[in-house]
Amino acid sequence: MLDLHFVAPDLRRLDEVGAEIIVACLWTDVRPLQGLSALLDWRLSGCLSKLLRQGFVVGEVGEVLIVPARPKLPFDKLLLFGLGPRTGFGDGTFRRVIERMLDALAGLSVKKAVVELPGRDNQLFEPERAAEILLDVARDDAHDAFVLVEEIDGQRRIETRVGEQRRNAPRR
């Protein structure tokens, strides 16, 4: 079962997390960047903003970009996932992006990743619903741990929902 941990969306806290990869999201209609992608862009001296300006990445659903993160970040790689426009975002898009995330991480043989869940950068998607879908999609044991980038309130709400789901899950 997926082991969940948390880290605050703060560069100093992220620097302390031991993981090989960090995962952030991009909207097609949010500029300047927000959430984790904004923090990472700042640390990477505007690299993500430059890629957006050049049209190399736009944030469409299904879009995935891998960026070297070292030496400016303590992670080997940064994976960016497109979310499309905020207005079209819902359960279906969240699920598709999470499935794509898990497939990409499995393809890279990643066991532990720091992850910003889609739509959580601006609280567009409720933490409880995000936890439900994440646990539903991540049923296999391909991933050991996710360190979710969340504020304290989101952390508590996700922990509560995960605890409820695990207590109510049928025993295997």
Side-chain angles (χ1 to χ4, degrees):
M1 181 169 284
L2 184 64
D3 189 18
L4 295 178
H5 302 276
F6 298 93
V7 64
D10 174 271
L11 285 172
R12 281 180 276 157
R13 297 289 179 245
L14 290 165
D15 287 343
E16 297 167 358
V17 177
E20 57 197 291
I21 200 161
I22 189 163
V23 178
C25 301
L26 298 171
W27 300 100
T28 57
D29 59 349
V30 175
R31 303 296 181 266
L33 295 171
Q34 293 180 351
L36 182 60
S37 59
L39 290 174
L40 299 174
D41 188 42
W42 185 84
R43 181 66 71 80
L44 293 170
S45 304
C47 173
L48 304 181
S49 292
K50 182 179 178 183
L51 293 171
L52 287 163
R53 278 192 310 276
Q54 293 172 341
F56 190 79
V57 63
V58 294
E60 291 292 339
V61 175
E63 190 173 30
V64 180
L65 179 68
I66 190 165
V67 177
R70 291 195 189 271
K72 294 186 178 190
L73 291 165
F75 311 97
D76 293 331
K77 299 169 193 76
L78 161 60
L79 268 180
L80 294 169
F81 289 84
L83 302 179
R86 286 176 298 176
T87 55
F89 189 78
D91 281 14
T93 304
F94 184 94
R95 182 176 293 275
R96 281 194 309 274
V97 173
I98 289 293
E99 288 169 350
R100 180 108 175 168
M101 242 181 232
L102 293 172
D103 287 346
L105 292 170
L108 293 168
S109 300
V110 173
K111 294 292 187 180
K112 183 178 181 183
V114 175
V115 176
E116 175 187 55
L117 293 175
R120 292 295 304 135
D121 63 330
N122 56 9
Q123 284 73 46
L124 185 64
F125 210 74
E126 291 297 319
E128 295 87 352
R129 186 67 184 138
E132 289 170 10
I133 295 173
L134 174 62
L135 292 179
D136 183 51
V137 173
R139 289 182 185 206
D140 63 18
D141 292 327
H143 309 281
D144 291 337
F146 271 11
V147 179
L148 299 180
V149 179
E150 279 289 338
E151 296 286 356
I152 295 296
D153 180 60
Q155 291 177 22
R156 288 187 191 124
R157 293 168 66 184
I158 288 173
E159 285 175 331
T160 299
R161 184 55 55 96
V162 167
E164 291 168 359
Q165 278 194 258
R166 289 185 174 161
R167 280 190 300 279
N168 297 330
R171 303 268 184 224
R172 292 185 188 195

mmCIF file of all heavy atoms in Angstrom, residues 21-59:
data_model
loop_
_atom_site.group_PDB
_atom_site.id
_atom_site.type_symbol
_atom_site.label_atom_id
_atom_site.label_comp_id
_atom_site.label_asym_id
_atom_site.label_seq_id
_atom_site.Cartn_x
_atom_site.Cartn_y
_atom_site.Cartn_z
ATOM 1 N N ILE A 21 13.056 12.251 -7.160
ATOM 2 C CA ILE A 21 12.304 12.987 -8.174
ATOM 3 C C ILE A 21 11.240 13.852 -7.502
ATOM 4 O O ILE A 21 10.733 13.511 -6.440
ATOM 5 C CB ILE A 21 11.673 12.004 -9.186
ATOM 6 C CG1 ILE A 21 11.321 12.692 -10.492
ATOM 7 C CG2 ILE A 21 10.491 11.275 -8.610
ATOM 8 C CD1 ILE A 21 11.148 11.721 -11.646
ATOM 9 N N ILE A 22 10.930 14.969 -8.134
ATOM 10 C CA ILE A 22 9.865 15.846 -7.656
ATOM 11 C C ILE A 22 8.890 16.056 -8.808
ATOM 12 O O ILE A 22 9.300 16.177 -9.963
ATOM 13 C CB ILE A 22 10.425 17.181 -7.107
ATOM 14 C CG1 ILE A 22 9.324 17.992 -6.418
ATOM 15 C CG2 ILE A 22 11.167 17.962 -8.165
ATOM 16 C CD1 ILE A 22 9.842 19.088 -5.505
ATOM 17 N N VAL A 23 7.601 16.070 -8.483
ATOM 18 C CA VAL A 23 6.545 16.142 -9.492
ATOM 19 C C VAL A 23 5.695 17.382 -9.238
ATOM 20 O O VAL A 23 5.187 17.579 -8.139
ATOM 21 C CB VAL A 23 5.656 14.882 -9.435
ATOM 22 C CG1 VAL A 23 4.525 14.975 -10.439
ATOM 23 C CG2 VAL A 23 6.487 13.620 -9.656
ATOM 24 N N ALA A 24 5.546 18.194 -10.285
ATOM 25 C CA ALA A 24 4.722 19.403 -10.198
ATOM 26 C C ALA A 24 3.775 19.450 -11.394
ATOM 27 O O ALA A 24 3.887 18.656 -12.320
ATOM 28 C CB ALA A 24 5.609 20.644 -10.159
ATOM 29 N N CYS A 25 2.846 20.389 -11.346
ATOM 30 C CA CYS A 25 1.817 20.494 -12.388
ATOM 31 C C CYS A 25 1.799 21.893 -13.001
ATOM 32 O O CYS A 25 2.192 22.864 -12.363
ATOM 33 C CB CYS A 25 0.450 20.185 -11.786
ATOM 34 S SG CYS A 25 0.339 18.536 -11.064
ATOM 35 N N LEU A 26 1.307 21.942 -14.236
ATOM 36 C CA LEU A 26 1.189 23.204 -14.972
ATOM 37 C C LEU A 26 -0.217 23.341 -15.543
ATOM 38 O O LEU A 26 -0.752 22.395 -16.121
ATOM 39 C CB LEU A 26 2.158 23.233 -16.157
ATOM 40 C CG LEU A 26 3.639 23.158 -15.909
ATOM 41 C CD1 LEU A 26 4.376 22.969 -17.223
ATOM 42 C CD2 LEU A 26 4.105 24.420 -15.208
ATOM 43 N N TRP A 27 -0.801 24.511 -15.420
ATOM 44 C CA TRP A 27 -2.073 24.836 -16.061
ATOM 45 C C TRP A 27 -1.782 25.518 -17.392
ATOM 46 O O TRP A 27 -0.767 26.206 -17.531
ATOM 47 C CB TRP A 27 -2.886 25.793 -15.199
ATOM 48 C CG TRP A 27 -3.239 25.295 -13.846
ATOM 49 C CD1 TRP A 27 -2.612 25.605 -12.673
ATOM 50 C CD2 TRP A 27 -4.296 24.412 -13.505
ATOM 51 N NE1 TRP A 27 -3.229 24.965 -11.635
ATOM 52 C CE2 TRP A 27 -4.267 24.226 -12.111
ATOM 53 C CE3 TRP A 27 -5.284 23.755 -14.242
ATOM 54 C CZ2 TRP A 27 -5.174 23.414 -11.434
ATOM 55 C CZ3 TRP A 27 -6.182 22.945 -13.578
ATOM 56 C CH2 TRP A 27 -6.130 22.778 -12.199
ATOM 57 N N THR A 28 -2.686 25.411 -18.341
ATOM 58 C CA THR A 28 -2.512 26.140 -19.598
ATOM 59 C C THR A 28 -2.837 27.616 -19.434
ATOM 60 O O THR A 28 -2.354 28.451 -20.197
ATOM 61 C CB THR A 28 -3.412 25.566 -20.720
ATOM 62 O OG1 THR A 28 -4.772 25.598 -20.281
ATOM 63 C CG2 THR A 28 -3.003 24.169 -21.110
ATOM 64 N N ASP A 29 -3.657 27.943 -18.437
ATOM 65 C CA ASP A 29 -4.156 29.317 -18.311
ATOM 66 C C ASP A 29 -3.750 30.019 -17.020
ATOM 67 O O ASP A 29 -4.413 30.970 -16.608
ATOM 68 C CB ASP A 29 -5.682 29.323 -18.453
ATOM 69 C CG ASP A 29 -6.375 28.466 -17.402
ATOM 70 O OD1 ASP A 29 -5.695 27.691 -16.692
ATOM 71 O OD2 ASP A 29 -7.605 28.560 -17.289
ATOM 72 N N VAL A 30 -2.670 29.587 -16.391
ATOM 73 C CA VAL A 30 -2.194 30.257 -15.180
ATOM 74 C C VAL A 30 -0.754 30.712 -15.408
ATOM 75 O O VAL A 30 0.154 29.899 -15.501
ATOM 76 C CB VAL A 30 -2.259 29.333 -13.944
ATOM 77 C CG1 VAL A 30 -1.644 30.013 -12.732
ATOM 78 C CG2 VAL A 30 -3.693 28.926 -13.649
ATOM 79 N N ARG A 31 -0.594 32.012 -15.553
ATOM 80 C CA ARG A 31 0.715 32.648 -15.682
ATOM 81 C C ARG A 31 0.669 33.920 -14.875
ATOM 82 O O ARG A 31 -0.282 34.679 -15.033
ATOM 83 C CB ARG A 31 1.063 32.966 -17.145
ATOM 84 C CG ARG A 31 1.046 31.786 -18.091
ATOM 85 C CD ARG A 31 2.098 30.729 -17.786
ATOM 86 N NE ARG A 31 2.050 29.630 -18.744
ATOM 87 C CZ ARG A 31 1.357 28.502 -18.563
ATOM 88 N NH1 ARG A 31 0.661 28.301 -17.478
ATOM 89 N NH2 ARG A 31 1.387 27.563 -19.478
ATOM 90 N N PRO A 32 1.599 34.206 -14.032
ATOM 91 C CA PRO A 32 2.777 33.411 -13.748
ATOM 92 C C PRO A 32 2.410 32.103 -13.050
ATOM 93 O O PRO A 32 1.286 31.930 -12.572
ATOM 94 C CB PRO A 32 3.615 34.306 -12.841
ATOM 95 C CG PRO A 32 2.633 35.216 -12.180
ATOM 96 C CD PRO A 32 1.528 35.406 -13.181
ATOM 97 N N LEU A 33 3.383 31.216 -12.993
ATOM 98 C CA LEU A 33 3.184 29.919 -12.352
ATOM 99 C C LEU A 33 2.786 30.088 -10.894
ATOM 100 O O LEU A 33 3.119 31.102 -10.267
ATOM 101 C CB LEU A 33 4.469 29.094 -12.455
ATOM 102 C CG LEU A 33 4.882 28.701 -13.867
ATOM 103 C CD1 LEU A 33 6.272 28.098 -13.867
ATOM 104 C CD2 LEU A 33 3.874 27.748 -14.469
ATOM 105 N N GLN A 34 2.097 29.078 -10.371
ATOM 106 C CA GLN A 34 1.683 29.071 -8.975
ATOM 107 C C GLN A 34 2.112 27.762 -8.336
ATOM 108 O O GLN A 34 2.493 26.810 -9.012
ATOM 109 C CB GLN A 34 0.162 29.189 -8.859
ATOM 110 C CG GLN A 34 -0.407 30.492 -9.313
ATOM 111 C CD GLN A 34 -1.920 30.538 -9.171
ATOM 112 O OE1 GLN A 34 -2.576 29.549 -8.885
ATOM 113 N NE2 GLN A 34 -2.484 31.706 -9.389
ATOM 114 N N GLY A 35 1.988 27.706 -7.019
ATOM 115 C CA GLY A 35 2.232 26.467 -6.296
ATOM 116 C C GLY A 35 3.669 25.985 -6.400
ATOM 117 O O GLY A 35 4.613 26.780 -6.482
ATOM 118 N N LEU A 36 3.811 24.675 -6.415
ATOM 119 C CA LEU A 36 5.134 24.068 -6.441
ATOM 120 C C LEU A 36 5.910 24.446 -7.692
ATOM 121 O O LEU A 36 7.113 24.716 -7.623
ATOM 122 C CB LEU A 36 5.012 22.540 -6.325
ATOM 123 C CG LEU A 36 6.316 21.765 -6.300
ATOM 124 C CD1 LEU A 36 7.192 22.181 -5.116
ATOM 125 C CD2 LEU A 36 6.028 20.267 -6.250
ATOM 126 N N SER A 37 5.240 24.496 -8.840
ATOM 127 C CA SER A 37 5.959 24.848 -10.072
ATOM 128 C C SER A 37 6.560 26.252 -9.984
ATOM 129 O O SER A 37 7.648 26.498 -10.502
ATOM 130 C CB SER A 37 5.064 24.694 -11.305
ATOM 131 O OG SER A 37 3.929 25.501 -11.206
ATOM 132 N N ALA A 38 5.897 27.176 -9.289
ATOM 133 C CA ALA A 38 6.442 28.526 -9.107
ATOM 134 C C ALA A 38 7.689 28.494 -8.220
ATOM 135 O O ALA A 38 8.685 29.162 -8.523
ATOM 136 C CB ALA A 38 5.397 29.448 -8.503
ATOM 137 N N LEU A 39 7.636 27.720 -7.137
ATOM 138 C CA LEU A 39 8.809 27.604 -6.269
ATOM 139 C C LEU A 39 9.995 27.005 -7.018
ATOM 140 O O LEU A 39 11.124 27.490 -6.922
ATOM 141 C CB LEU A 39 8.485 26.716 -5.056
ATOM 142 C CG LEU A 39 7.534 27.279 -4.017
ATOM 143 C CD1 LEU A 39 7.216 26.215 -2.974
ATOM 144 C CD2 LEU A 39 8.118 28.507 -3.362
ATOM 145 N N LEU A 40 9.717 25.959 -7.783
ATOM 146 C CA LEU A 40 10.787 25.295 -8.530
ATOM 147 C C LEU A 40 11.339 26.202 -9.630
ATOM 148 O O LEU A 40 12.545 26.232 -9.876
ATOM 149 C CB LEU A 40 10.285 23.977 -9.103
ATOM 150 C CG LEU A 40 9.808 22.956 -8.057
ATOM 151 C CD1 LEU A 40 9.205 21.744 -8.734
ATOM 152 C CD2 LEU A 40 10.919 22.568 -7.108
ATOM 153 N N ASP A 41 10.461 26.944 -10.277
ATOM 154 C CA ASP A 41 10.884 27.878 -11.316
ATOM 155 C C ASP A 41 11.826 28.925 -10.730
ATOM 156 O O ASP A 41 12.851 29.270 -11.327
ATOM 157 C CB ASP A 41 9.661 28.533 -11.957
ATOM 158 C CG ASP A 41 9.999 29.360 -13.179
ATOM 159 O OD1 ASP A 41 10.830 28.910 -14.004
ATOM 160 O OD2 ASP A 41 9.423 30.453 -13.330
ATOM 161 N N TRP A 42 11.492 29.426 -9.563
ATOM 162 C CA TRP A 42 12.345 30.419 -8.907
ATOM 163 C C TRP A 42 13.715 29.824 -8.635
ATOM 164 O O TRP A 42 14.744 30.430 -8.950
ATOM 165 C CB TRP A 42 11.690 30.886 -7.604
ATOM 166 C CG TRP A 42 12.464 31.986 -6.948
ATOM 167 C CD1 TRP A 42 12.404 33.318 -7.222
ATOM 168 C CD2 TRP A 42 13.435 31.838 -5.917
ATOM 169 N NE1 TRP A 42 13.283 34.005 -6.409
ATOM 170 C CE2 TRP A 42 13.927 33.126 -5.605
ATOM 171 C CE3 TRP A 42 13.930 30.742 -5.217
ATOM 172 C CZ2 TRP A 42 14.892 33.338 -4.632
ATOM 173 C CZ3 TRP A 42 14.907 30.966 -4.252
ATOM 174 C CH2 TRP A 42 15.365 32.255 -3.966
ATOM 175 N N ARG A 43 13.741 28.608 -8.066
ATOM 176 C CA ARG A 43 15.013 27.956 -7.746
ATOM 177 C C ARG A 43 15.807 27.619 -9.004
ATOM 178 O O ARG A 43 17.032 27.625 -8.997
ATOM 179 C CB ARG A 43 14.736 26.698 -6.928
ATOM 180 C CG ARG A 43 15.965 25.913 -6.501
ATOM 181 C CD ARG A 43 16.888 26.638 -5.519
ATOM 182 N NE ARG A 43 16.384 26.785 -4.188
ATOM 183 C CZ ARG A 43 16.406 25.845 -3.254
ATOM 184 N NH1 ARG A 43 16.900 24.671 -3.510
ATOM 185 N NH2 ARG A 43 15.908 26.091 -2.058
ATOM 186 N N LEU A 44 15.106 27.343 -10.107
ATOM 187 C CA LEU A 44 15.768 27.002 -11.373
ATOM 188 C C LEU A 44 16.024 28.239 -12.238
ATOM 189 O O LEU A 44 16.208 28.133 -13.448
ATOM 190 C CB LEU A 44 14.928 25.978 -12.142
ATOM 191 C CG LEU A 44 14.817 24.594 -11.505
ATOM 192 C CD1 LEU A 44 13.768 23.750 -12.216
ATOM 193 C CD2 LEU A 44 16.165 23.894 -11.485
ATOM 194 N N SER A 45 16.007 29.400 -11.622
ATOM 195 C CA SER A 45 16.314 30.674 -12.298
ATOM 196 C C SER A 45 15.419 30.948 -13.503
ATOM 197 O O SER A 45 15.877 31.440 -14.537
ATOM 198 C CB SER A 45 17.790 30.698 -12.730
ATOM 199 O OG SER A 45 18.636 30.480 -11.633
ATOM 200 N N GLY A 46 14.129 30.610 -13.375
ATOM 201 C CA GLY A 46 13.172 30.918 -14.438
ATOM 202 C C GLY A 46 13.167 29.944 -15.606
ATOM 203 O O GLY A 46 12.554 30.221 -16.641
ATOM 204 N N CYS A 47 13.787 28.796 -15.439
ATOM 205 C CA CYS A 47 13.863 27.803 -16.516
ATOM 206 C C CYS A 47 12.477 27.372 -17.002
ATOM 207 O O CYS A 47 12.241 27.267 -18.212
ATOM 208 C CB CYS A 47 14.658 26.587 -16.034
ATOM 209 S SG CYS A 47 14.659 25.199 -17.171
ATOM 210 N N LEU A 48 11.553 27.140 -16.078
ATOM 211 C CA LEU A 48 10.209 26.691 -16.467
ATOM 212 C C LEU A 48 9.459 27.806 -17.201
ATOM 213 O O LEU A 48 8.797 27.551 -18.212
ATOM 214 C CB LEU A 48 9.417 26.225 -15.246
ATOM 215 C CG LEU A 48 10.069 25.128 -14.409
ATOM 216 C CD1 LEU A 48 9.172 24.730 -13.249
ATOM 217 C CD2 LEU A 48 10.428 23.927 -15.267
ATOM 218 N N SER A 49 9.584 29.024 -16.721
ATOM 219 C CA SER A 49 8.946 30.161 -17.395
ATOM 220 C C SER A 49 9.489 30.325 -18.809
ATOM 221 O O SER A 49 8.744 30.616 -19.750
ATOM 222 C CB SER A 49 9.167 31.447 -16.609
ATOM 223 O OG SER A 49 8.469 31.403 -15.380
ATOM 224 N N LYS A 50 10.784 30.125 -18.965
ATOM 225 C CA LYS A 50 11.401 30.224 -20.285
ATOM 226 C C LYS A 50 10.851 29.146 -21.222
ATOM 227 O O LYS A 50 10.522 29.438 -22.382
ATOM 228 C CB LYS A 50 12.922 30.092 -20.166
ATOM 229 C CG LYS A 50 13.655 30.232 -21.476
ATOM 230 C CD LYS A 50 15.161 30.125 -21.289
ATOM 231 C CE LYS A 50 15.865 30.229 -22.628
ATOM 232 N NZ LYS A 50 17.318 30.068 -22.481
ATOM 233 N N LEU A 51 10.720 27.922 -20.723
ATOM 234 C CA LEU A 51 10.159 26.839 -21.543
ATOM 235 C C LEU A 51 8.715 27.148 -21.950
ATOM 236 O O LEU A 51 8.299 26.844 -23.068
ATOM 237 C CB LEU A 51 10.237 25.504 -20.796
ATOM 238 C CG LEU A 51 11.641 24.951 -20.555
ATOM 239 C CD1 LEU A 51 11.585 23.740 -19.627
ATOM 240 C CD2 LEU A 51 12.313 24.600 -21.876
ATOM 241 N N LEU A 52 7.961 27.765 -21.054
ATOM 242 C CA LEU A 52 6.584 28.167 -21.360
ATOM 243 C C LEU A 52 6.560 29.277 -22.413
ATOM 244 O O LEU A 52 5.785 29.217 -23.367
ATOM 245 C CB LEU A 52 5.864 28.624 -20.093
ATOM 246 C CG LEU A 52 5.481 27.518 -19.113
ATOM 247 C CD1 LEU A 52 5.171 28.096 -17.741
ATOM 248 C CD2 LEU A 52 4.306 26.725 -19.645
ATOM 249 N N ARG A 53 7.392 30.278 -22.250
ATOM 250 C CA ARG A 53 7.447 31.388 -23.222
ATOM 251 C C ARG A 53 7.829 30.893 -24.614
ATOM 252 O O ARG A 53 7.330 31.378 -25.617
ATOM 253 C CB ARG A 53 8.437 32.466 -22.765
ATOM 254 C CG ARG A 53 7.891 33.426 -21.753
ATOM 255 C CD ARG A 53 8.800 34.629 -21.547
ATOM 256 N NE ARG A 53 10.191 34.306 -21.300
ATOM 257 C CZ ARG A 53 10.707 33.990 -20.108
ATOM 258 N NH1 ARG A 53 9.926 33.955 -19.048
ATOM 259 N NH2 ARG A 53 11.991 33.723 -19.972
ATOM 260 N N GLN A 54 8.718 29.911 -24.670
ATOM 261 C CA GLN A 54 9.167 29.364 -25.947
ATOM 262 C C GLN A 54 8.144 28.405 -26.565
ATOM 263 O O GLN A 54 8.296 27.999 -27.696
ATOM 264 C CB GLN A 54 10.493 28.612 -25.770
ATOM 265 C CG GLN A 54 11.648 29.506 -25.403
ATOM 266 C CD GLN A 54 12.901 28.709 -25.052
ATOM 267 O OE1 GLN A 54 12.852 27.529 -24.740
ATOM 268 N NE2 GLN A 54 14.038 29.382 -25.107
ATOM 269 N N GLY A 55 7.107 28.051 -25.793
ATOM 270 C CA GLY A 55 6.103 27.113 -26.288
ATOM 271 C C GLY A 55 6.555 25.661 -26.259
ATOM 272 O O GLY A 55 5.893 24.791 -26.805
ATOM 273 N N PHE A 56 7.685 25.396 -25.598
ATOM 274 C CA PHE A 56 8.198 24.035 -25.495
ATOM 275 C C PHE A 56 7.270 23.170 -24.653
ATOM 276 O O PHE A 56 7.133 21.983 -24.869
ATOM 277 C CB PHE A 56 9.612 24.054 -24.903
ATOM 278 C CG PHE A 56 10.308 22.731 -24.981
ATOM 279 C CD1 PHE A 56 10.879 22.311 -26.172
ATOM 280 C CD2 PHE A 56 10.387 21.905 -23.873
ATOM 281 C CE1 PHE A 56 11.520 21.083 -26.259
ATOM 282 C CE2 PHE A 56 11.021 20.677 -23.952
ATOM 283 C CZ PHE A 56 11.591 20.265 -25.151
ATOM 284 N N VAL A 57 6.613 23.802 -23.686
ATOM 285 C CA VAL A 57 5.617 23.164 -22.836
ATOM 286 C C VAL A 57 4.485 24.169 -22.667
ATOM 287 O O VAL A 57 4.728 25.374 -22.600
ATOM 288 C CB VAL A 57 6.221 22.712 -21.472
ATOM 289 C CG1 VAL A 57 6.716 23.882 -20.673
ATOM 290 C CG2 VAL A 57 5.242 21.891 -20.667
ATOM 291 N N VAL A 58 3.229 23.686 -22.654
ATOM 292 C CA VAL A 58 2.099 24.606 -22.508
ATOM 293 C C VAL A 58 1.168 24.238 -21.358
ATOM 294 O O VAL A 58 0.370 25.047 -20.934
ATOM 295 C CB VAL A 58 1.285 24.735 -23.824
ATOM 296 C CG1 VAL A 58 2.123 25.397 -24.903
ATOM 297 C CG2 VAL A 58 0.754 23.405 -24.280
ATOM 298 N N GLY A 59 1.246 22.992 -20.883
ATOM 299 C CA GLY A 59 0.398 22.578 -19.766
ATOM 300 C C GLY A 59 -0.856 21.839 -20.174
ATOM 301 O O GLY A 59 -1.788 21.709 -19.380
#
